[in-house]
Amino acid sequence: MKRIFSDGLKGIIAAQTTISHIDGQEGVLIYRGYEIGELKDLSFEEVAFLLWYGHLPTMADAVDIKYKLSKLRFLTPTMKEILHTLPVEMDMMSVLRTVISSLGGSEYGWKPTIEQAMRLTAVIPTIIAYRFNMNMKKPFIEPDPRLNHVENYLYMLSGNNPSKAVAGALETYMVLTLEHGMNASAFSARVTASTESDLVSAITSAIGTMKGPLHGGAPSGVIDLLNEIGTAEKAESVIRRKLLKGEKLMGFGHRVYKTHDPRAVALRNTLLENKGDNQSLDLALYVEKKAIELLAEIKPGRSLYTNVEFYAAAIMKSINLPSDLFTPTFTASRIVGWTAHVMEQAANNTIYRPQSKYIGKRNC
Ligand code: COA
């Protein structure tokens, strides 16, 4: 067999999938056959159903999955105890990784199931909200089963029912980021599952992978950029100075998309539809326009456009989500893609075993 070396496995196809497809040249992202622009107005629960079952839910399915997820949001006494035992300075991604890891047990045996996937998906927002309130020295707010998945997350964080505009903006972001092909965290989940390890172990691997700043950490950099710019009048001078100094603009450019990131386009459209009088979004829209103009002028021919992180940050800022919850919130959506990948891996499993090329000394 011909042996190919590819640093970071770049360009290597390591699995066949029916979950999602990315065409970076055309700017297309498909979940189970549907372009994501067509799905952006569906609920988190409906698109999770699509990714897990492979087809859109009927009305009865949609009611059923909403009900099931709402019943699975609870924290066990052990999880609460762990949440209180972990050092206060521990970051939220490490908290999530540890508490999710504590769920392993006989009910998570091989093979992974949709019921297991639902439990992990349902409980992640509760873990985040519990720890968030604990850190703020506020009482825990019990999940409200009458609210949908995203509304309930926002409710548990603040104690208030979110407005339709706020919940809708976050729901669109979450739907658009549920899944994104064989990225580093989906790959690590699949590698762990390929040893016939359980779903909890695979998701623990994925959370640990998501935690790295090269994967899950970009929206905070966008907030820093928007804060530094502050007002539309300063946009051109700040962006020009950064680009001339050789700095990268956070929220622009993408490894795979060499045209508009379809998730950024869909998020932008949703924001424009429900914007109202929101000054921070007005600034973001203006910064995007200026940045694209200046990137084309100073970095011609590099095909640099807005990526999903830019509008993710704009949305999270506009709904006042604290920046240390950005990556955990991304995790609360991406859990759906990870669990779909693990089930797909289990259904047709081959253990992952690439090779390495020895370039060290030989003393023999
Ligand atoms: N701002 C300014 N210049 C950028 C840029 C950005 N955001 N992204 C890429 N470039 C420039 C590079 O400086 C390079 O210019 P050069 O040809 O003069 O050396 C050229 O475009 C190609 O850059 P490269 O880093 O090779 O592109 P890539 O496709 O490998 O990198 C990213 C993709 C995402 C790593 C890169 O665009 C980036 O760092 N973006 C900012 C961080 C970000 O938003 N990350 C979230 C991604 S979802």
Side-chain angles (χ1 to χ4, degrees):
M1 192 162 75
K2 190 166 174 249
R3 299 206 293 173
I4 302 163
F5 169 56
S6 170
D7 219 354
L9 300 180
K10 217 172 170 179
I12 302 289
I13 296 171
Q16 300 200 77
T17 186
T18 63
I19 304 170
S20 70
H21 172 64
I22 305 164
D23 182 335
Q25 295 303 324
E26 296 294 325
V28 173
L29 171 60
I30 288 170
Y31 290 172
R32 299 283 193 194
Y34 296 90
E35 274 201 39
I36 46 142
E38 296 174 63
L39 302 173
K40 73 178 175 57
D41 297 326
L42 297 185
S43 67
F44 176 96
E45 290 90 334
E46 287 166 321
V47 186
F49 184 102
L50 171 68
L51 288 168
W52 286 329
Y53 289 90
H55 58 88
L56 282 171
T58 61
M59 271 175 36
D61 292 333
V63 171
D64 185 54
I65 193 164
K66 187 177 165 205
Y67 174 77
K68 282 184 177 149
L69 281 170
S70 77
K71 291 285 165 211
L72 293 169
R73 292 173 182 155
F74 63 93
L75 297 176
T76 61
T78 310
M79 291 166 94
K80 289 187 182 171
E81 205 181 311
I82 294 170
L83 279 158
H84 284 279
T85 310
L86 296 175
V88 274
E89 63 279 9
M90 188 183 250
D91 65 276
M92 189 67 88
M93 289 302 285
S94 302
V95 169
L96 266 182
R97 190 196 56 221
T98 311
V99 180
I100 286 295
S101 168
S102 75
L103 280 170
S106 56
E107 66 195 290
Y108 288 95
W110 182 260
K111 289 183 169 186
T113 63
I114 294 180
E115 286 64 37
Q116 296 171 3
M118 282 188 200
R119 168 67 172 139
L120 300 187
T121 303
V123 79
I124 284 182
T126 319
I127 299 171
I128 299 171
Y130 191 99
R131 179 75 178 188
F132 177 74
N133 285 317
M134 210 187 103
N135 288 354
M136 305 287 282
K137 310 237 176 315
K138 287 198 207 153
F140 173 55
I141 298 157
E142 289 291 341
D144 181 342
R146 290 166 305 175
L147 298 176
N148 76 24
H149 188 73
V150 176
E151 288 166 344
N152 177 63
Y153 176 42
L154 289 166
Y155 165 72
M156 289 188 299
L157 288 173
S158 69
N160 300 316
N161 278 344
S163 70
K164 281 238 165 314
V166 165
L170 185 62
E171 184 147 33
T172 305
Y173 162 74
M174 292 182 78
V175 162
L176 295 173
T177 52
L178 287 178
E179 157 61 10
H180 206 232
M182 189 67 103
N183 52 73
S185 55
F187 183 53
S188 61
R190 288 187 82 125
V191 170
T192 303
S194 79
T195 67
E196 296 194 3
S197 186
D198 54 274
L199 184 66
V200 165
S201 302
I203 298 308
T204 305
S205 300
I207 297 174
T209 309
M210 173 71 102
K211 181 173 178 243
L214 294 187
H215 191 1
S220 341
V222 179
I223 296 289
D224 294 342
L225 175 71
L226 291 174
N227 286 342
E228 187 180 342
I229 292 173
T231 59
E233 295 72 53
K234 280 171 59 193
E236 173 150 2
S237 59
V238 173
I239 297 170
R240 189 179 285 282
R241 194 187 65 233
K242 283 184 174 295
L243 291 179
L244 291 177
K245 273 203 304 190
E247 282 180 34
K248 283 201 172 160
L249 286 186
M250 291 296 125
F252 295 86
H254 197 275
R255 203 31 58 91
V256 181
Y257 295 113
K258 296 303 168 199
T259 179
H260 293 279
D261 177 337
R263 302 165 299 169
V265 174
L267 272 182
R268 184 178 196 278
N269 290 343
T270 304
L271 287 175
L272 286 173
E273 281 160 23
N274 307 302
K275 189 165 76 64
D277 180 23
N278 186 325
Q279 291 184 354
S280 77
L281 284 180
D282 285 337
L283 178 68
L285 289 164
Y286 186 75
V287 167
E288 177 189 34
K289 182 170 159 294
K290 274 287 146 211
I292 290 179
E293 278 170 26
L294 291 171
L295 282 165
E297 178 193 321
I298 299 170
K299 293 268 171 188
R302 293 352 181 264
S303 302
L304 297 168
Y305 298 96
T306 327
N307 63 47
V308 70
E309 305 292 3
F310 184 81
Y311 278 107
I315 282 192
M316 300 210 202
K317 189 171 155 74
S318 78
I319 66 171
N320 291 323
L321 203 77
S323 59
D324 53 345
L325 293 189
F326 287 7
T327 310
T329 303
F330 184 14
T331 304
S333 69
R334 190 52 65 80
I335 177 73
V336 175
W338 292 335
T339 49
H341 275 281
V342 170
M343 288 185 282
E344 186 176 68
Q345 181 68 38
N348 191 7
N349 190 37
T350 305
I351 188 169
Y352 283 93
R353 181 61 173 95
Q355 294 183 14
S356 49
K357 183 175 173 193
Y358 179 72
I359 55 165
K361 279 200 281 191
R362 266 182 199 274
N363 295 325
C364 50

